[in-house]
């Protein structure tokens, strides 16, 4: 029971990071794009207005997932920790550059193109780096020889599946972010920005769905068991596809844009939870499963109780944040 | 050394933490002063204090942004560099780590709200209320993380059977023996250091002949904070000494070069140790003082290092870091005390240039003392990572790439160390306080 609650909580937080992080990462890229193409678009103001109050919250989702993983499944700290020193450190440096340069560019004294460039480009590199952990979790890249755990970095680098996952991560970021900003621009009653972000939503929708299929197909060559499990639960992925079609339809028609973004979340939600559900019981093929490597019941129950107590604190706070900034028409319109 | 993962992992952890603790310290300490300044401003209807809170909050945001970054790095680096330790720690001490993320989450949400709602509420006091969760969240983060560090010094709340941890009690592990003394010391020194940094900024401007009331109010408010928290720091510093004497005698003995267990023990300041003869030259010796520090009795017996096998001794150089910490603590207390005496007795000038200079120097010294304190406590735990259970050398990663990562992160910290102060200075120079005061003449 503890292992199921634990992995569910962690997966929900990772999904939260996927959505909120994607909006943030993509927004950074669009902001940079608007700057270099010299579009005197108000899109950058819109992005700033959304990002300024919430950027700090994004990172916490990721840290929460990592700490929770160690708490519920301590052995994963050993395997992933040993194997991921190099890619993990690279991702950390990218996160560091992004976080600090956002603050420098935003609160610092003057706008610098270098800061904006670093901020924009890391927005694409970070999801690329982080997505490789999902690839690694499929097995075959972390090996245990005579007690020592190693990552086969070269194999990972020349593996087609790993590159398709990376590409999917990047286009998903651009797609999720564009659909959210379409909705936000509409709330801000900014027609120019709305049309620009709508165009980006349409542009990235094709690659997103195409690459999703490719990931699905190439998984069969890489992890047959997981692929089979996904086929058995194919209804979840069909729901994801239906949500995608509905979202795209509303965006195309420029109607119900809030609902459209909700469908985008559902699209990724179904796919992400379907992927995670069929990945079970493995956290890392074939070494770590949620049943064999779960923490002691004492610790597990304490963590769950702490989590519930924490939610009572967090949910009202998050609600307040959203109410004051995201769902406040005056704020969104910059009044 | 370049291919020894243990040494390199220690070095990388050292530079990450050495950098992070400065930001963590001000991240914990500054919110209190922002909150106090805003409250005084609202109550006294004095817009100087409101502007003070605003400007502090502006600088604080940039520091927090970089602090979030370095905090994320150390959070992940613990697993990347010390996987075996985190595997064990995850089983026993995961609770406070988990709760720390909640506390930080809470702080981050309200900091975001606080920064962008200065003029959104009809009653200014509602905005002030938003500062409370920031203060609570940042101090709670410090509390939870410190319990983990305390656990490394005095592990508790589990049994070991055949090399496996059993009978795990997460709350007992969290509320371990060194938790109270460590936690109070970490919190008060964070408040003290932050107060000195803020005071130094005001003193610096006064030294440059800026005579606006704004700076004098800022200086006075923060100097009261300095005094209060330096007294608190001395008290819980003393408690920490007594804690060490009882629970970690080898750390106190190493810090004091105290080899023989004896009564009427002497406190040693400075000096040079002859490692073979164990003779100390040029040191200042204060009779009975170590016994008093350790047990409040001049005749008390203080355990010496010779009671422990030599391979379990902490490195003896921590003596100097211990001394630096104490000297600076005394200096900060003295400066803030003298300021208050000068301020309340009209015969003296509390804006005396020498006093202002001492306050300005106090800020970097306070940071130095934070670093020295951490080095003393972390190095003083060696060779253990989990005292009595796990050795540092058995828990490091086995990867061959630590040196490259050390170079990578060093470059990152060097660039941040250059950019961060540059940007802060530029930010505040672009719009100085006088200009802002003119613009916001009527704010309340």
């Amino acid at each position: 029971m503890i292992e199921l609650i634990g992995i569910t909580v962690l997966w929900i937080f990772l999904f939260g990071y996927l959505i909120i992080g994607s909006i943030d990462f993509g927004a950074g890229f669009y902001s940079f794009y608007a700057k270099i193409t010299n579009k005197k678009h108000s899109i950058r103001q819109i992005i700033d207005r959304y990002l300024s109050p919430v950027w700090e919250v994004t990172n916490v989702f990721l840290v929460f997932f990592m700490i929770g993983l160690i708490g519920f499944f301590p052995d994963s700290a050993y395997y992933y920790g040993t194997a991921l020193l190099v890619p993990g450190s690279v991702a950390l440096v990218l996160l560091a550059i992004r976080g600090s340069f956002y603050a420098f560019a935003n609160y610092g004294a003057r706008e610098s193109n270098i800061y904006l460039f670093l901020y924009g480009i890391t927005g694409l590199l970070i999801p690329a780096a982080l997505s490789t952990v999902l690839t690694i979790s499929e097995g075959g890249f972390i090996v245990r020889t005579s007690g020592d755990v190693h990552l086969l970095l070269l194999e990972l680098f020349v593996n087609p599946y790993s590159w398709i996952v990376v590409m999917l991560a990047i286009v998903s970021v651009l797609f999720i972010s564009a659909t959210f900003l379409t909705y936000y621009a509409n709330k801000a009653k900014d027609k120019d920005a709305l049309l620009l972000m709508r165009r980006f939503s349409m542009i990235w929708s094709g690659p997103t769905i195409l690459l999703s299929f490719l990931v699905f197909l190439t998984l069969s060559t890489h992890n047959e068991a997981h692929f089979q499990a996904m086929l058995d639960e194919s209804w979840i992925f069909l729901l994801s596809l239906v949500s995608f079609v509905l979202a795209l339809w509303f965006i195309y028609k420029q109607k119900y844009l809030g609902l459209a973004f909700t469908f985008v979340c559902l699209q990724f939600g179904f796919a992400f939870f379907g992927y995670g559900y069929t990945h079970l019981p493995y956290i890392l093929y074939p070494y770590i499963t949620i049943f064999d490597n779960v923490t002691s019941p004492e610790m597990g129950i304490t963590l769950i109780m702490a989590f519930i107590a924490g939610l009572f604190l967090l949910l009202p706070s998050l609600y307040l944040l959203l109410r004051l900034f995201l769902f406040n028409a005056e704020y969104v319109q910059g009044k | 050394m370049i291919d020894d993962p243990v040494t390199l992992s220690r070095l990388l952890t050292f530079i990450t933490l050495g950098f992070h603790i400065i930001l963590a310290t001000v991240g914990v300490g500054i919110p209190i002063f922002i909150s106090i300044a805003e409250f005084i401003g609202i109550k006294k209807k004095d817009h100087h204090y409101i502007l003070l809170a605003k400007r502090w909050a502006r600088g604080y945001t940039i520091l927090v942004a970089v602090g979030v970054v370095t905090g994320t790095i150390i959070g992940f680096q613990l697993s990347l560099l010390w996987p075996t330790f985190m595997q064990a720690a995850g089983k026993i001490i995961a609770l406070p780590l988990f709760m720390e993320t909640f506390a930080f989450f809470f702080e981050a949400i309200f900091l975001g709200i606080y920064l962008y709602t200065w003029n959104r509420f009809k009653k200014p006091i509602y905005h002030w209320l938003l500062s409370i969760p920031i203060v609570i969240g940042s101090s709670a983060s410090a509390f939870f993380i410190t319990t983990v560090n305390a656990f490394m010094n005095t592990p508790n709340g589990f049994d070991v059977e055949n090399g496996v941890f059993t009978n795990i009690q997460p709350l007992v592990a969290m509320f371990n023996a060194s938790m109270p003394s460590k936690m109070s010391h970490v919190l008060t020194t964070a408040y003290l250091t932050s107060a000195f940094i803020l005071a130094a900024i005001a003193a610096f401007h006064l030294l440059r002949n800026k005579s606006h009331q704004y700076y004098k109010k800022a200086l006075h408010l923060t100097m009261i904070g300095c005094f209060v928290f330096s007294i608190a720091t001395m008290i819980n510093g003393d408690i920490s000494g007594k804690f060490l004497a009882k629970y970690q005698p080898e750390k106190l003995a190493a810090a004091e070069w105290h080899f023989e267990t004896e009564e009427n023990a002497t406190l040693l300041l400075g000096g040079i140790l002859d490692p073979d003869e164990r003779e100390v030259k040029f040191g200042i010796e204060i009779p009975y003082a170590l016994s008093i520090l350790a047990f409040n009795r001049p005749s008390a017996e203080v355990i010496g290092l010779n009671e422990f096998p030599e391979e379990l001794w902490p490195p003896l150089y921590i003596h100097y870091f211990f001394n630096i910490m104490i000297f600076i603590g005394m200096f900060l207390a003295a400066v803030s005390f003298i300021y208050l005496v000068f301020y309340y007795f009209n015969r003296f000038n509390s804006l005396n240039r020498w006093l202002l200079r001492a306050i300005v120097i106090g800020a970097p010294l306070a940071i130095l003392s934070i670093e020295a304190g951490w080095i003393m406590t972390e190095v003083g735990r060696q060779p253990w990572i989990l005292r009595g259970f796990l050795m540092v050398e058995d828990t490091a990663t086995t990867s061959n790439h630590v040196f490259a990562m050390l170079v990578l992160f060093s470059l990152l910290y060097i660039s941040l160390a250059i950019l961060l102060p540059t940007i802060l200075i530029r930010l505040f120079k672009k719009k100085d306080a006088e200009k802002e005061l003119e613009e916001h003449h009527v704010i309340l």
Side-chain angles (χ1 to χ4, degrees), chain B residues 68-304:
Chain B
V68 170
V69 160
T70 52
T72 308
I73 291 176
I74 187 63
F76 278 85
Q77 243 173 25
L78 282 175
S79 298
L80 296 174
L81 295 174
W82 310 100
T84 313
F85 167 66
M86 280 311 273
Q87 188 182 20
K91 288 173 183 153
I92 315 166
I93 196 73
L95 179 67
L97 281 171
F98 194 61
M99 287 166 83
E100 196 272 344
T101 55
F102 273 109
F104 181 69
F105 214 143
F106 191 57
E107 180 199 344
I109 291 173
F110 280 92
L111 182 63
I113 299 177
Y114 184 82
L115 288 174
Y116 292 93
T117 51
W118 277 99
N119 301 315
R120 285 265 297 266
F121 301 101
K122 286 199 187 79
K123 288 189 176 171
I125 200 82
Y126 289 164
H127 183 260
W128 173 76
L129 285 176
L130 292 170
S131 70
I132 308 277
I134 304 175
V135 173
I136 294 174
S138 57
S139 291
S141 297
F143 166 74
F144 290 126
I145 282 301
T146 309
T147 63
V148 179
N149 184 272
F151 173 79
M152 293 163 76
N153 284 280
T154 50
N156 200 2
F158 62 94
D159 296 326
V160 183
E161 280 169 30
N162 309 324
V164 180
F165 298 114
T166 56
N167 189 22
I168 286 160
Q169 299 163 281
L171 287 172
V172 177
M174 187 172 150
F175 291 95
N176 57 75
S178 45
M179 191 278 288
S181 59
K182 257 204 194 329
M183 189 262 305
S184 58
H185 199 55
V186 163
L187 285 179
T188 53
T189 51
Y191 304 147
L192 172 63
T193 304
S194 305
F196 250 97
I197 291 171
L198 298 174
I201 295 169
F204 178 78
H205 286 292
L206 288 166
L207 271 176
R208 301 188 98 189
N209 295 324
K210 295 197 170 188
S211 55
H212 200 288
Q213 273 295 316
Y214 171 84
Y215 298 109
K216 293 175 190 164
K217 286 175 182 170
L219 183 70
H220 189 62
L221 171 65
T222 47
M223 283 318 283
I224 292 175
C226 292
F227 180 70
V228 171
F229 291 120
S230 61
I231 299 298
T233 297
M234 286 200 309
I235 293 169
N236 61 40
D238 183 61
I239 294 172
S240 302
K242 292 185 170 42
F243 160 80
L244 284 182
K246 196 169 166 195
Y247 290 94
Q248 265 182 301
E250 77 280 11
K251 194 191 262 187
L252 184 67
E256 272 300 316
W257 294 345
H258 180 67
F259 296 100
E260 296 295 335
T261 301
E262 60 188 9
E263 298 172 354
N264 311 327
T266 314
L267 186 80
L268 174 72
L269 296 175
I272 297 168
L273 182 73
D274 178 345
D276 301 321
E277 301 289 320
R278 288 179 195 160
E279 293 278 320
V280 181
K281 283 182 202 153
F282 312 116
I284 302 166
E285 297 188 350
I286 309 173
Y288 308 113
L290 184 57
S291 288
I292 296 174
L293 174 75
F295 297 103
N296 264 345
R297 270 185 297 118
S299 63
E301 184 182 81
V302 181
I303 297 171

Side-chain angles (χ1 to χ4, degrees), chain A residues 143-189:
Chain A
V143 289
R144 183 164 196 160
T145 47
S146 64
D148 273 357
V149 172
H150 296 282
L151 176 67
L152 305 174
L153 209 52
L154 190 68
E155 272 83 344
L156 184 68
F157 200 73
V158 297
N159 186 288
Y161 174 72
S162 137
W163 281 105
I164 294 172
V165 171
V166 164
M167 284 191 288
L168 175 62
I170 293 174
V171 296
S172 303
V173 159
L174 292 169
F175 178 64
I176 293 173
S177 188
T179 55
F180 174 79
L181 290 170
T182 310
Y183 156 70
Y184 204 71
N186 185 48
K187 279 203 75 154
K189 299 205 166 74

Side-chain angles (χ1 to χ4, degrees), chain B residues 43-62:
Chain B
K43 281 292 148 198
K44 287 191 173 174
K45 297 201 187 304
D46 184 338
H47 65 281
H48 291 162
Y49 286 102
I50 302 280
L51 183 68
L52 204 52
K54 271 192 187 173
R55 285 174 71 88
W56 283 346
R58 227 175 281 155
Y60 176 71
T61 309
I62 295 185

Side-chain angles (χ1 to χ4, degrees), chain A residues 52 55-57 59 64 66 70-71 74-75 81-82 89 96 100 103-104 107 109 115 298-299 302 314 324 328, chain B residues 64-65 69 72 76 79 83 87 91-92 94 101-102 105 111 113 116 120 168 170 399 405 416 419 423 426-427 430:
Chain A
S52 304
W55 63 271
E56 256 199 287
V57 176
N59 238 5
F64 190 96
M66 188 268 301
I70 295 170
D75 294 336
T82 310
S89 297
S100 35
F104 293 167
Y107 305 105
Y115 294 172
E298 299 91 336
M299 178 59 84
T302 323
L314 280 192
L324 282 170
N328 184 301
Chain B
V64 168
V69 160
T72 308
F76 278 85
S79 298
Q87 188 182 20
K91 288 173 183 153
I92 315 166
T101 55
F102 273 109
F105 214 143
L111 182 63
I113 299 177
Y116 292 93
R120 285 265 297 266
I168 286 160
S399 169
M405 298 305 111
L416 288 179
L419 277 170
I423 280 173
R426 199 195 286 156
L427 171 72
K430 195 176 97 176

